[in-house]
């Protein structure tokens, strides 16, 4: 099993380098982080180990926020859960790595999950700052997300077309963000688009609306020769851990 000691991890965000208040679970404007696709054989043991780590002295010093998500639609992938650790900056990520490398709490976590979890994929992500967060949905138990993993051969053209589409499309009761994948990923993935809402039904209704939207149809045509879809998955947030109060 690949190491989880560097730890515990989607895709969300505070203002500048400060995390927003925990009561609305808002996120940093340009986050970075790690995302792990997991095959979890004992969800209860895994959740207990996460709770123990984040409540430990090491977890309390970790500058990240970890979000545990259950995969409700993932195709043929063996991934049952996704866990993301979101940081306000790469410097904060480095701090977390250094803390965990010397921590008995992190070593204990590694030991406790060794028989309950297998890491299927691991990826580093960073926000492009593109998309729309006008609904400020953030994350938290019950929040649903559709992730579109794409391989993009012309990132500049894709980003321009993406934001033009977002500026012309009614996103309804959802938020949409574009993330770059500088390392790791699924297949040849270079970018991930997340569509987040308060329920799976809300997200899928928005996707159906998008397909009938002229701006969305124009976007699909413009990026048709530079984008390949690698995978689509739908997740539901189960728990959030970490220093959400900043």
């Amino acid at each position: 099993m690949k190491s989880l000691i560097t730890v515990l991890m989607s895709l969300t965000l505070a203002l500048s380098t400060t995390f927003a208040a925990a009561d609305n679970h808002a996120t940093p404007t340009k986050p970075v982080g790690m995302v792990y696709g997991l095959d979890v054989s004992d969800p209860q043991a895994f959740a207990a180990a996460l709770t123990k780590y984040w409540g430990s002295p090491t977890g309390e010093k970790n500058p990240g926020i970890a979000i545990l998500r259950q995969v409700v639609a993932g195709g043929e992938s063996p991934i049952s859960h996704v866990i993301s650790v979101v940081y306000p900056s790469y410097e904060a990520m480095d701090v977390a790595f250094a803390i965990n490398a010397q921590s008995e709490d992190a070593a204990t976590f590694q030991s406790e999950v060794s028989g309950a979890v297998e890491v299927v994929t691991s990826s580093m992500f960073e926000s492009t700052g593109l998309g729309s967060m006008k609904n400020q949905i953030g994350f938290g138990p019950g929040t649903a997300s559709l992730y579109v993993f794409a391989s993009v051969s012309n990132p500049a053209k894709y980003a321009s077309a993406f934001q033009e589409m977002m500026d012309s499309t009614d996103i309804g009761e959802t938020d949409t963000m574009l993330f770059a994948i500088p390392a790791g990923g699924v297949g040849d993935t270079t970018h991930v688009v997340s569509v987040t809402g308060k329920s799976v039904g809300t997200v899928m209704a928005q996707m159906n609306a998008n397909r009938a939207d002229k701006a969305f149809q124009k976007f699909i045509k413009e990026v048709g020769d530079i984008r390949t879809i690698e995978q689509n998955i739908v997740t539901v947030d189960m728990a959030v851990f970490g220093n959400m109060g900043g």
Side-chain angles (χ1 to χ4, degrees):
M1 187 181 75
K2 297 178 183 177
S3 176
L4 274 175
I5 216 168
T6 55
V7 322
L8 327 161
M9 337 59 169
S10 175
L11 304 162
T12 18
L13 337 275
L15 300 175
S16 67
T17 59
T18 305
F19 285 91
D23 57 353
N24 63 6
H25 289 174
T27 50
T29 48
K30 274 200 169 186
V32 301
M34 298 295 300
V35 180
Y36 297 83
L38 309 174
D39 182 359
V40 180
S41 58
D42 190 339
Q44 289 185 333
F46 184 49
L50 281 169
T51 301
K52 181 178 177 180
Y53 167 83
W54 284 99
S56 71
T58 302
E60 291 178 354
K61 291 187 291 184
N62 192 316
I65 291 175
I67 311 158
L68 176 62
R69 296 181 165 108
Q70 182 177 9
V71 177
V72 297
E76 298 180 359
S77 171
I79 295 172
S80 63
H81 295 75
V82 173
I83 190 163
S84 307
V85 179
V86 187
Y87 302 98
S89 65
Y90 280 118
E91 290 77 12
M93 183 188 295
D94 287 338
V95 168
F97 289 168
I99 291 172
N100 285 317
Q102 304 296 324
S103 169
E104 291 185 8
D105 299 320
T108 297
F109 171 79
Q110 174 72 24
S111 175
E112 290 178 345
V113 303
S114 62
V117 180
E118 180 180 354
V119 180
V120 180
T121 63
S122 60
S123 309
M124 181 178 291
F125 70 85
E126 55 187 34
S127 174
T128 64
L130 300 178
S132 175
M133 289 282 291
K134 72 175 186 178
N135 290 309
Q136 290 293 300
I137 293 168
F139 47 79
T143 300
S145 298
L146 169 68
Y147 295 103
V148 180
F149 297 77
S151 173
V152 177
S153 60
N154 187 333
K157 179 180 178 180
Y158 180 79
S160 177
F162 175 83
Q163 192 59 44
E164 181 181 353
M165 178 269 294
M166 291 301 306
D167 291 341
S168 304
T169 300
D170 181 3
I171 65 170
E173 298 179 356
T174 62
D175 287 329
T176 297
M177 292 175 287
L178 176 64
F179 293 86
I181 308 297
V186 176
D188 295 323
T189 297
T190 60
H191 293 76
V192 174
V193 175
S194 68
V195 181
T196 300
K198 293 184 177 180
S199 69
V200 172
T202 299
V203 171
M204 300 316 295
Q206 184 61 41
M207 293 306 297
N208 288 334
N210 286 348
R211 294 186 184 98
D213 185 270
K214 290 184 179 180
F216 186 80
Q217 293 173 353
K218 178 184 176 185
F219 166 72
I220 295 301
K221 183 176 181 180
E222 288 180 345
V223 302
D225 61 344
I226 63 170
R227 183 195 69 160
T228 301
I229 301 298
E230 298 288 329
Q231 186 179 12
N232 294 332
I233 68 170
V234 177
T235 68
V236 174
D237 293 5
M238 299 179 65
V240 181
F241 307 88
N243 182 25
M244 292 178 292

